[in-house]
Amino acid sequence: MNLEELNPQQRKAVEITGGPILIFAGAGSGKTRVLTHKIAYLVKDVGLPPDNILAVTFTNKAADEMKQRVQELLNMDVSSMSVGTFHSISARILRREIQLLGYSNDFVIYDQDDSRALVKMVIKDLNLDEKSFVPKAMQAHISKAKNQMISPELMANTVEGFLDEKTSEIYSQYQKALKTNNALDFDDLLLKPIELFNEHPGRLDFYQNKYQYVLVDEYQDTNKPQFEFIQALSREHRDVCVVGDDDQSIYSWRGADVNNILNFSDTFGEAHIIKLEQNYRSTKTILECAWSVVSKNTTRAEKKLWTDNKQGDKLSVIECRDERDESWKILKIIQDETVHGSFGFDDLVILYRTNAQSRVVEDALRREGVPYEIIGGIKFYARKEVKDVLAYLRLIINPTDGVSFDRIVNFPVRGIGKTSIEKIHAYAKENDLSYLQVLEDLGKLSVGAKQKKSLHAFNQLIHKFRNSYKGQNAVDITRDLLLDIDLQNYYENQNTQEALERWNNVEELLNSITDFQDNREESGLREFLEEVSLLTDIDRWNTSDKAVTLMTIHSAKGLEFPVVMVAGLEEGLFPLGPQSFEVEELEEERRLFYVAVTRAKKKVYLSYAITRRRFGGAPIPTTQSRFISELPEEFIQEEGGHQKQAYTKSFTRPSSFQKKSPSSAKFQKGDHVAHKLFGNGKILDVEGEGDSAKLTIIFSGNVRKKLIAKYANLSPLKTSAY
C-alpha cells in the first residue's frame, strides 16, 4: 500500500500495529487520513479481514465518510466492517443479544423528549409534586448517575435526606418503566453492553474474538461507560488504537473525562505514543493565537501545532454596543467577505457559546435576506408532527411503548380526554398490563360509550398494522398509515400556515423513509426507527447549501470553515459561568475557545458587547473575555467601533441568493399529476388562482383529496397514469 502521501509521523502512526497506540492528533493534522489509511493497511498489508475491525467515531457522518474512504483506498467491499458511533455499535450488539437481559429485540430507543415524558409519568405515579421534582432536573440527575455508572441500587445506598431519597426512587421506577415499555434511553445504550459482558462472559469472549483490532476516534471525549466498553473488548488482545486531542476535550458536562486519554498508558499498558503536530488547515497566525490561549492550561500533554501555510491575517477583535450592534457588525463582516470579498456564504460560520445567542443574529440575517442554516435548533425528527408519526410507527413495532401510546391515542383528535387516559394508566398498573393491552377488554374500563368506540378503533388500527408490517417496506407502511388516519386533511382543515408547514414536514419524513429504503433495501421499519433515534443535527446538515452556518462551538467540533466568527466573548458568557471558576471548568472553557479558533482556515473574527440584555431585563455592563487578553498583541487588530456605523444598507445580495417567493405550477382542470403520498391522480376542479388555488384531485383507488397548490408538491404528468 502506498503511504508516500503521508508525513513521517502520520506514516509511523499507520505502520505501528502491535499493542496499544495513542495518537495525539491536533486540530487539522489529518487524523481522518491517518485512521482510514491505518484501517486499509490492516486489511491489505497485515491481512486482517474487514469484519474483524471495529472503528468507533463520534458522529454517523464521520462513520460514513470513514467507510467510504477505506473502500476507495482498498477498492473492495468493506461493508462487513463495523464502523459507527458508540451508540450505533452498541445498538447493533443489543439487537442480537438483549434477550439475555430480559428485553425483546424489538426495543425502542427513547430520545430526550421521550425520556423526559417517562420521568414525568413516574413522578406522577409516585404522587410527587413536579414543582419540587422537576422532570427535566430529575432526568439530568438520572443521566449523570448513568454516566458515572451508578445504578439505582447504588444510589439508594448512598442517599442523604428526603430529596436524595425521592430522586433515587424516581430513578429506580424510571428504569423499571423503561423495561416495561421495552425501551432504552441513550445512556442505557452504553450501559447495557457492559451489563451483558459482565453477566454473560461467553458473549464478551465472542466479541473480543470478533473485534481483533479496535480503533477509537475523539478518545478525549469518552465517558466512563465508553471507556469500560473499549477496555472490555480489547482487554485480551490489547490491539487498540485511540486518536484524540486533550486540548479539544469539551464534553465534561455529559460525563467525558479528559484523563481517559492522558492516562491511556496506565490503563492499557505501555503504549506507543505518536504526536501529529503539523496542521494543514489554518494560517500561522491562527495557530499562534490558539496555542497562546490553550497553553495556559496545566492539565494537558505537551505539544504545539505548526504549519507550512502562510502567516495570514491578524485576528479581528470587535467591540459592540450591545447584542443588536453585534448582530449588525456580523452582517457587515458577511457583506465585506461575500459581496466585496472572495468568499461565498457557505464559507462563513457564526459560532456562539449558548444556543440562546443565535436569536438576535438570526433575526438580523432573516431581515436582510442572508441565506443561513442553523444547527442545533429544533431537530427535524424532534418536531411535534414528525414525532407524532414516528410514535405510531414505534407502537406498531413495540406494543408495550407507553410513551408513544400516550402521544397518539388522541392524535388526530378522537375525543379521548385526559381523564380516560388516566383511567387506562390506572387499570394497566393494577393489572400489570400494557396500555394497548387494556384496550383489548374495554368492557372493564369505566369510560363513556363514545370513548370506548374511539379506543376500540384506535386499537384495531394499531393491530391492523402490527399484523402486516413485517411483510411491507417502511415506505408502504407509513404511506398507508397516513392515509388511514387522514393526517393531511387534519392539517389542511385547520387552514393555517403553521398547520400546512406541519404537513410539509410529514411529507419530508416520508421522503426520508423513501431515501432510507432506497439505500437499505434489506432493512425495514425497525432499522429506520433505530437510525432516526441516533441521528444528530450534524448528520442531517447539508454542506452543499450555499448559506451561512450558525451553531454552538460544541456542534462545530471536527468541522472547518474559511472564515469563523465567534460572538459573545464576555466574562460570564464565554467563558460561561461565574467569575470564580474551578480550575477544571476554566480549563475546559479555554479548550472550547481553542476549538472555536482552530475551525478557521483563513480568517477569525471575535466580537463582544460592552452591554448585554440577560434574562429579559435591562442591558447590563459586561467585561471583555479573559481569552482576548491571552491573545498575543502582535497577532490581533482591535476594532473599537461602537461609535462607528455598524452596517451599511448598501448590502446588495447576489441574485442567486435573493429571497424568492414560493411559486407553483399553474394547474388546470383535467391535468394529470403525481403526489408523493397519494400516487398519480387527475385534477377534477380548480378553485382560485396561483399558489392559493384549491385543487380537487381524484387519485388511484378512488381517493379524493382537496389540496392547496402551494403546499401540494405535485408533479405534472404528460399522460394519464392513475
Side-chain angles (χ1 to χ4, degrees):
M1 182 176 176
N2 184 15
L3 302 178
E4 297 300 318
E5 63 183 54
L6 305 179
N7 69 38
Q9 286 299 99
Q10 290 176 332
R11 183 164 180 169
K12 182 180 177 182
V14 168
E15 292 180 325
I16 296 174
T17 56
I21 305 168
L22 168 59
I23 303 172
F24 282 111
S29 62
K31 68 165 183 173
T32 303
R33 171 179 288 189
V34 168
L35 279 170
T36 52
H37 277 75
K38 190 171 187 70
I39 293 170
Y41 184 82
L42 287 167
V43 175
K44 192 170 183 178
D45 292 68
V46 179
L48 197 62
D51 56 347
N52 289 141
I53 296 172
L54 171 65
V56 187
T57 64
F58 264 75
T59 67
N60 296 289
K61 188 183 282 289
D64 293 340
E65 182 185 351
M66 184 179 291
K67 211 164 194 174
Q68 182 64 35
R69 287 201 194 182
V70 171
Q71 190 154 302
E72 290 171 359
L73 285 171
L74 291 172
N75 195 28
M76 63 179 282
D77 181 23
V78 294
S79 58
S80 62
M81 185 173 68
S82 295
V83 183
T85 64
F86 276 101
H87 290 93
S88 66
I89 296 292
S90 295
R92 287 176 218 169
I93 292 173
L94 293 172
R95 287 293 176 200
R96 294 192 293 265
E97 312 286 356
I98 201 165
Q99 288 171 314
L100 294 171
L101 301 177
Y103 292 75
S104 160
N105 61 9
D106 283 332
F107 67 83
V108 294
I109 302 169
Y110 281 177
D111 64 16
Q112 289 286 84
D113 290 340
D114 302 322
S115 171
R116 193 171 302 155
L118 189 61
V119 170
K120 192 171 182 177
M121 284 185 197
V122 168
I123 292 170
K124 188 174 182 179
D125 286 345
L126 293 172
N127 295 315
L128 297 172
D129 183 7
E130 282 190 24
K131 293 180 180 178
S132 301
F133 299 91
V134 180
K136 186 176 181 179
M138 291 299 102
Q139 181 188 33
H141 281 301
I142 293 169
S143 183
K144 185 178 180 181
K146 289 185 177 185
N147 282 327
Q148 296 171 349
M149 298 185 69
I150 298 172
S151 66
E153 294 76 22
L154 185 58
M155 181 183 281
N157 292 331
T158 57
V159 297
E160 295 180 5
F162 176 76
L163 287 175
D164 282 357
E165 181 184 338
K166 291 302 174 185
T167 300
S168 172
E169 192 174 353
I170 292 168
Y171 181 12
S172 178
Q173 291 303 311
Y174 169 76
Q175 284 303 113
K176 290 177 182 177
L178 279 174
K179 194 164 187 178
T180 299
N181 288 358
N182 195 33
L184 303 177
D185 62 19
F186 285 160
D187 296 316
D188 280 338
L189 282 178
L190 302 178
L191 290 169
K192 290 300 177 183
I194 301 169
E195 184 181 333
L196 173 75
F197 297 158
N198 290 335
E199 294 184 8
H200 301 275
R203 302 318 297 156
L204 174 59
D205 290 342
F206 171 83
Y207 288 103
Q208 286 177 337
N209 291 327
K210 177 176 174 60
Y211 299 130
Q212 295 175 24
Y213 205 99
V214 179
L215 302 101
V216 187
D217 192 14
E218 303 286 2
Y219 189 69
Q220 77 280 351
D221 289 326
T222 52
N223 61 18
K224 189 172 181 179
Q226 291 163 339
F227 166 81
E228 293 285 346
F229 180 73
I230 295 300
Q231 190 183 28
L233 289 177
S234 56
R235 188 180 297 133
E236 294 300 316
H237 54 67
R238 297 179 64 248
D239 284 331
V240 56
C241 173
V242 304
V243 183
D245 181 8
D246 54 299
D247 287 335
Q248 298 185 71
S249 179
I250 57 175
Y251 289 107
S252 67
W253 50 274
R254 65 184 190 194
D257 187 353
V258 70
N259 290 305
N260 287 348
I261 192 169
L262 294 175
N263 299 334
F264 179 80
S265 289
D266 295 338
T267 303
F268 292 92
E270 188 174 349
H272 299 283
I273 299 177
I274 301 160
K275 296 179 181 180
L276 305 182
E277 296 174 289
Q278 183 174 2
N279 175 283
Y280 295 91
R281 175 188 300 160
S282 307
T283 65
K284 286 184 173 69
T285 295
I286 290 171
L287 293 185
E288 283 292 335
C289 287
W291 182 82
S292 72
V293 174
V294 82
S295 63
K296 301 288 192 302
N297 283 352
T298 56
T299 307
R300 64 184 296 270
E302 191 54 46
K303 55 193 173 306
K304 184 178 180 181
L305 290 179
W306 62 274
T307 184
D308 286 332
N309 294 338
K310 296 179 180 178
Q311 189 65 46
D313 294 343
K314 293 182 178 181
L315 274 66
S316 296
V317 178
I318 303 163
E319 182 184 275
C320 311
R321 286 190 304 271
D322 52 27
E323 64 269 25
R324 287 178 61 83
D325 187 42
E326 184 177 48
S327 69
W328 287 112
K329 286 192 165 88
I330 288 171
L331 274 171
K332 178 66 165 60
I333 293 167
I334 295 171
Q335 175 186 19
D336 290 342
E337 298 293 0
T338 57
V339 179
H340 305 309
S342 57
F343 297 107
F345 287 117
D346 54 326
D347 292 325
L348 281 67
V349 66
I350 303 167
L351 301 179
Y352 32 80
R353 180 63 181 84
T354 66
N355 274 307
Q357 292 170 253
S358 69
R359 195 269 310 165
V360 66
V361 177
E362 194 177 354
D363 286 349
L365 297 176
R366 189 187 299 112
R367 277 196 302 271
E368 296 303 318
V370 177
Y372 71 91
E373 181 166 6
I374 186 163
I375 308 298
I378 299 176
K379 300 178 179 69
F380 176 78
Y381 292 108
R383 296 180 187 276
K384 179 189 179 306
E385 58 275 14
V386 173
K387 288 206 67 162
D388 289 337
V389 177
L390 291 176
Y392 270 101
L393 299 176
R394 293 199 322 191
L395 194 60
I396 291 167
I397 293 289
N398 176 20
T400 61
D401 183 357
V403 171
S404 293
F405 177 96
D406 275 7
R407 186 176 190 99
I408 59 171
V409 68
N410 195 40
F411 177 84
V413 177
R414 301 183 173 91
I416 302 166
K418 184 179 178 182
T419 302
S420 296
I421 294 171
E422 286 175 349
K423 288 179 178 179
I424 294 170
H425 286 192
Y427 191 87
K429 189 176 181 181
E430 289 170 10
N431 296 276
D432 195 24
L433 298 171
S434 72
Y435 300 156
L436 206 59
Q437 285 175 319
V438 174
L439 307 193
E440 294 293 325
D441 190 3
L442 288 167
K444 296 180 180 178
L445 196 66
S446 59
V447 297
K450 185 179 178 182
Q451 285 75 27
K452 284 183 180 179
K453 185 179 179 181
S454 295
L455 288 169
H456 176 72
F458 175 73
N459 189 41
Q460 292 294 104
L461 174 75
I462 300 300
H463 275 287
K464 169 187 170 182
F465 284 96
R466 275 195 55 72
N467 292 333
S468 63
Y469 84 89
K470 290 183 179 178
Q472 289 183 284
N473 66 37
V475 180
D476 292 338
I477 297 164
T478 309
R479 185 184 288 115
D480 291 348
L481 173 70
L482 294 174
L483 288 170
D484 262 33
I485 63 176
D486 203 15
L487 195 57
Q488 182 174 12
N489 275 342
Y490 170 77
Y491 283 124
E492 289 182 350
N493 289 340
Q494 295 177 38
N495 202 30
T496 65
Q497 180 69 32
E498 181 186 5
L500 292 170
E501 287 176 358
R502 289 187 185 279
W503 172 247
N504 285 343
N505 285 332
V506 173
E507 286 196 315
E508 182 57 29
L509 172 63
L510 191 64
N511 291 340
S512 175
I513 298 172
T514 303
D515 290 342
F516 172 85
Q517 203 72 77
D518 288 345
N519 295 322
R520 302 260 303 270
E521 292 182 7
E522 77 287 354
S523 299
L525 183 58
R526 190 178 74 179
E527 288 77 16
F528 172 76
L529 292 173
E530 181 173 300
E531 181 163 291
V532 164
S533 66
L534 300 176
L535 281 177
T536 67
D537 282 346
I538 295 298
D539 294 323
R540 283 186 53 81
W541 179 39
N542 185 0
T543 55
S544 64
D545 290 345
K546 302 297 182 182
V548 177
T549 302
L550 282 71
M551 61 175 72
T552 65
I553 303 167
H554 285 95
S555 298
K557 181 78 172 298
L559 305 178
E560 60 181 36
F561 299 85
V563 181
V564 170
M565 294 166 273
V566 188
L569 276 154
E570 302 133 34
E571 290 292 307
L573 185 57
F574 193 16
L576 184 67
Q579 296 287 323
S580 55
F581 281 95
E582 295 287 338
V583 172
E584 293 83 0
E585 294 172 345
L586 179 58
E587 293 205 347
E588 178 148 331
E589 291 291 311
R590 196 174 272 121
R591 292 195 293 267
L592 196 59
F593 180 84
Y594 175 82
V595 168
V597 171
T598 55
R599 299 311 93 198
K601 295 180 180 179
K602 303 290 186 183
K603 291 186 174 184
V604 176
Y605 294 90
L606 308 172
S607 62
Y608 66 96
I610 59 175
T611 65
R612 187 175 295 271
R613 193 182 300 274
R614 304 290 295 272
F615 310 111
I620 58 174
T622 67
T623 304
Q624 183 191 80
S625 171
R626 69 189 74 192
F627 300 151
I628 292 176
S629 64
E630 292 174 359
L631 296 169
E633 290 186 7
E634 64 270 27
F635 292 129
I636 65 171
Q637 56 185 16
E638 298 195 50
E639 301 178 19
H642 57 276
Q643 75 281 1
K644 299 178 183 177
Q645 185 178 358
Y647 179 70
T648 60
K649 286 295 180 179
S650 61
F651 187 4
T652 54
R653 298 173 294 282
S655 58
S656 58
F657 295 103
Q658 292 281 0
K659 284 188 171 179
K660 297 179 181 179
S661 58
S663 61
S664 308
K666 290 184 177 180
F667 293 106
Q668 298 178 356
K669 183 177 178 179
D671 285 352
H672 295 277
V673 294
H675 189 276
K676 290 176 181 177
L677 178 61
F678 304 114
N680 298 334
K682 181 180 179 180
I683 298 177
L684 301 179
D685 191 30
V686 179
E687 302 174 42
E689 297 180 352
D691 290 342
S692 58
K694 294 181 180 178
L695 312 176
T696 303
I697 308 171
I698 185 163
F699 293 97
S700 53
N702 205 32
V703 176
R704 187 183 294 254
K705 294 289 178 183
K706 182 172 283 189
L707 309 177
I708 297 174
K710 181 178 179 180
Y711 303 102
N713 293 324
L714 297 170
S715 302
L717 294 175
K718 292 182 180 180
T719 58
S720 174
Y722 82 99

